[in-house]
């Protein structure tokens, strides 16, 4: 069953709509704000099996989110903790860029060097190997990835 939310639905209306849903139901949102709030409430209320859909002016689904338990994630999907780690890494990389640190993959290792180093031939003099805790490997070193 689909439930349509008003353009400016408040938190209580959204919460009531989500809690009244059964597995497989969908809640349709007409605005980005209501869609974003519905996503937050879906997580906060720990509702699974219910989809939240953002509808465009033409009535087609633009975006959709479905609440899932961690155990329901497939092998190819990131769980919420893994996504948080990726976001943290992206934040660190933004800080590297702001502070003038560039990263480059030499062979199989991740290496940092000062962004002010204009001559790539001198970069190896200043390069610092990054302990990636085996989370990074160069593309050439991973034969499993080369098969894809």
């Amino acid at each position: 069953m689909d439930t349509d939310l008003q353009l400016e639905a408040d938190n209580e209306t959204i919460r009531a709509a989500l809690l009244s849903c059964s597995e497989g139901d969908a809640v349709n949102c007409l605005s980005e704000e209501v869609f974003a709030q519905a996503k937050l409430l879906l997580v906060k209320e720990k509702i699974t099996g219910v989809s939240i859909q953002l509808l465009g002016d033409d009535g087609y689904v633009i975006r959709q989110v479905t609440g899932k338990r961690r155990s329901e994630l497939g092998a190819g999907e990131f769980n919420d903790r893994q996504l948080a780690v990726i976001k943290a890494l992206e934040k660190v990389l933004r800080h590297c860029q702001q502070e003038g640190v560039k990263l480059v993959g030499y062979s199989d290792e991740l290496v940092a060097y000062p962004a002010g180093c204009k001559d790539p031939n001198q970069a190896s003099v200043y390069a610092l190997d990054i302990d990636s805790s085996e989370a990074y490997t160069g593309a050439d070193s991973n034969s499993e990835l080369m098969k894809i």
Side-chain angles (χ1 to χ4, degrees), residues 8-127:
E8 296 181 11
D10 63 3
N11 283 346
E12 287 309 311
T13 304
I14 298 169
R15 180 179 281 112
L18 288 171
L19 292 173
S20 69
C21 288
S22 300
E23 189 163 334
D25 289 351
V27 175
N28 299 320
C29 306
L30 302 175
S31 71
E32 293 271 350
E33 294 80 19
V34 172
F35 181 75
Q37 192 59 36
K39 286 192 316 183
L40 291 172
L41 289 169
L42 185 77
V43 172
K44 183 178 180 182
E45 298 294 332
K46 298 179 182 175
I47 298 171
T48 60
V50 174
S51 297
I52 301 169
Q53 301 174 340
L54 175 61
L55 303 180
D57 294 334
D58 53 7
Y60 285 98
V61 175
I62 298 171
R63 285 188 295 184
Q64 177 175 319
V65 176
T66 303
K68 295 181 183 179
R69 287 181 178 84
R70 201 175 277 167
S71 62
E72 294 173 336
L73 292 176
E77 297 180 63
F78 291 113
N79 65 37
D80 55 346
R81 291 181 55 87
Q82 291 168 325
L83 289 173
V85 168
I86 290 169
K87 291 288 184 195
L89 176 61
E90 290 171 343
K91 186 175 181 180
V92 167
L93 292 173
R94 279 193 300 277
H95 284 294
C96 286
Q97 190 271 336
Q98 291 170 351
E99 296 299 325
V101 175
K102 290 194 175 198
L103 302 174
V104 63
Y106 286 118
S107 178
D108 299 335
E109 299 299 322
L110 187 61
V111 177
Y113 70 95
C117 184
K118 302 295 183 203
D119 184 2
N121 295 326
Q122 291 180 334
S124 62
V125 173
Y126 303 105

